[in-house]
Amino acid sequence: MGNSFRVDRVGMEIKREVNEILRLKVRDPRVQEVTITDVQMLGDLSAARVYYTIHSTLASDNQKAQIGLEKATGTIKRELGKNLKMYKIPDLVFVKDESIEYGNKIDQMLRNLDKE
């Protein structure tokens, strides 16, 4: 039970650090508009699922961002190793966060109900 607090804390720290690394260290133009929204860690801290969103709605930009993040994974892990005091830096898997788009869709549906 006490381990879940540590897992959440490490996830929040990785989220903060990855956002900072993307902003300052990664020069790839494909990831300039990427924002990390959440990080979910495995219980043993060996892997992290990093959720991101991008400000563009174009499918091609989403695909480019995914490719850019996958290419930058080594740089991100190296910088995490410098900044975090962890025995082993977790493997990073980048996943597009669909929750914001889903929330906007629901919001639009509710607005349409008000108009009728």
Side-chain angles (χ1 to χ4, degrees):
M1 192 71 186
N3 196 24
S4 68
F5 176 73
R6 180 167 190 256
V7 170
D8 292 343
R9 196 176 72 220
V10 169
M12 287 187 339
E13 191 67 22
I14 287 177
K15 175 184 165 187
R16 187 180 64 76
E17 288 291 334
V18 171
N19 269 318
E20 193 75 10
I21 291 165
L22 287 175
R23 193 169 59 82
L24 299 175
K25 301 284 184 181
V26 178
R27 301 266 185 250
D28 193 337
R30 297 176 289 194
V31 299
Q32 293 302 316
E33 306 247 339
V34 169
T35 303
I36 305 303
T37 57
D38 192 24
V39 174
Q40 292 183 348
M41 303 289 299
L42 282 183
D44 63 355
L45 304 177
S46 65
R49 184 172 283 148
V50 181
Y51 291 93
Y52 70 92
T53 187
I54 184 168
H55 301 292
S56 173
T57 57
L58 297 174
S60 62
D61 288 345
N62 289 329
Q63 187 176 9
K64 287 178 187 175
Q66 180 71 35
I67 292 168
L69 287 169
E70 288 170 3
K71 295 279 187 195
T73 300
T75 302
I76 294 169
K77 280 187 73 168
R78 185 175 63 247
E79 291 298 322
L80 284 174
K82 291 178 186 176
N83 299 340
L84 299 178
K85 305 291 187 259
M86 292 180 68
Y87 177 70
K88 181 182 182 294
I89 299 301
D91 294 326
L92 304 176
V93 177
F94 290 96
V95 180
K96 174 122 173 55
D97 189 354
E98 306 288 344
S99 63
I100 295 172
E101 293 170 13
Y102 182 74
N104 290 338
K105 179 180 168 186
I106 297 295
D107 194 40
Q108 186 63 40
M109 291 168 70
L110 290 172
R111 278 196 214 115
N112 289 342
L113 283 176
D114 288 342
K115 291 178 184 176
E116 293 176 1

